[in-house]
Amino acid sequence: MSLLISVQNSLKRYELSAPLRAIAFGAGVAFALQLFGKVIGYLLQIVLARWMGPAEYGLFNYVLAWVAVLAMVGGMGFPEAILRFVPEYRTTKEWGYLRGVVIRSQQFTLLVSTILGVLFVVVALWFNKRAGTANEWLIYSGGLLVPIFASFNLIAETFRAFHKISVAYAPRQILEPLLLIGAVLGLTLLPGVTGIRSTEVLIADLFIFLLLLSLQWSLLRRLIRSIIEPAAN
């Protein structure tokens, strides 16, 4: 927080214009959140590797890597399009288009990423059966995470388009790893637990993302109403 205050004071001292101050301050917030997020993410990896072991830790990251790739494909370029069209529609005051592009992009992203998630489950279960391993719940959790990741990415970029940098970055960079660290440490406190399986961690991460996604979607709906309704009146 002191870093952000010093950035603000420096901007005032050099008497930059209001738009440039907003851009520079947003960049400072994004940098601080991502830097803090990297530190927390590093701690998360240490905790996971310590309690999961090499095999389970590798399996967990392998599934997450596929989830991230499929979520990016399922986004169909909407995160990048949102960054272009939301500021444009706000400038031209085309409120119907603004609401439409936000809602429809979410709907199409959810539809396509869900299809990809189902395909992931079908293909992964086929390989799982051939290999003779018992990772069904890990595969199901990975399939559910695909549309959640895709929606999460799109909402983050939507908040960026509205210049809400902290709301865009904090849930994924800060809150998710902190909550997952807490969940893993909580599992280790259960009686008789000597190690944690990748399935348990992925299911915990699934519920964390669901919670954060619900929170962000609620904040986004409130933000859109606060911008469109006063302007329409």
Side-chain angles (χ1 to χ4, degrees):
M1 186 59 68
S2 60
L3 174 62
L4 299 180
I5 293 174
S6 64
V7 170
Q8 269 189 320
N9 292 335
S10 298
L11 295 175
K12 290 178 181 178
R13 186 163 56 248
Y14 288 107
E15 297 182 349
L16 295 177
S17 64
L20 285 178
R21 282 203 304 270
I23 293 172
F25 182 68
V29 171
F31 175 76
L33 288 174
Q34 291 190 68
L35 180 62
F36 191 38
K38 294 297 182 184
V39 174
I40 298 174
Y42 181 71
L43 294 177
L44 172 62
Q45 299 307 312
I46 293 175
V47 171
L48 293 178
R50 166 66 180 80
W51 285 102
M52 294 175 69
E56 293 291 331
Y57 177 71
L59 189 58
F60 171 78
N61 280 290
Y62 180 74
V63 173
L64 274 189
W66 273 108
V67 169
V69 171
L70 292 174
M72 182 181 63
V73 175
M76 300 184 300
F78 279 118
E80 292 76 15
I82 281 287
L83 287 173
R84 173 190 171 187
F85 288 114
V86 166
E88 179 180 334
Y89 292 149
R90 288 188 69 184
T91 302
T92 57
K93 298 182 180 181
E94 296 178 279
W95 308 120
Y97 287 147
L98 175 61
R99 186 194 297 270
V101 73
V102 172
I103 295 175
R104 295 305 179 196
S105 62
Q106 282 290 337
Q107 291 173 342
F108 279 113
T109 297
L110 187 61
L111 175 63
V112 174
S113 58
T114 299
I115 294 173
L116 291 174
V118 172
L119 289 175
F120 168 80
V121 170
V122 171
V123 174
L125 284 176
W126 182 76
F127 279 107
N128 185 67
K129 185 177 180 180
R130 290 195 62 184
T133 55
N135 295 316
E136 289 84 2
W137 283 105
L138 181 70
I139 294 170
Y140 294 143
S141 301
L144 288 172
L145 272 172
V146 173
I148 293 174
F149 264 44
S151 297
F152 210 88
N153 293 338
L154 180 57
I155 288 181
E157 296 307 302
T158 305
F159 276 116
R160 279 187 61 201
F162 282 107
H163 307 296
K164 303 295 181 182
I165 303 299
S166 57
V167 185
Y169 284 104
R172 182 66 179 271
Q173 300 285 341
I174 309 295
L175 295 179
E176 185 268 336
L178 281 178
L179 289 172
L180 189 56
I181 289 174
V184 171
L185 294 179
L187 289 172
T188 63
L189 296 177
L190 296 175
V193 173
T194 56
I196 300 175
R197 297 184 63 226
S198 54
T199 303
E200 297 164 350
V201 179
L202 200 64
I203 291 175
D205 208 20
L206 171 63
F207 282 105
I208 290 170
F209 269 107
L210 272 175
L211 174 65
L212 294 177
L213 182 62
S214 301
L215 176 62
Q216 280 205 303
W217 181 243
S218 175
L219 291 174
L220 182 59
R221 291 180 62 185
R222 193 174 303 175
L223 174 64
I224 292 174
R225 283 199 303 266
S226 68
I227 291 173
I228 294 178
E229 290 178 2
N233 297 330

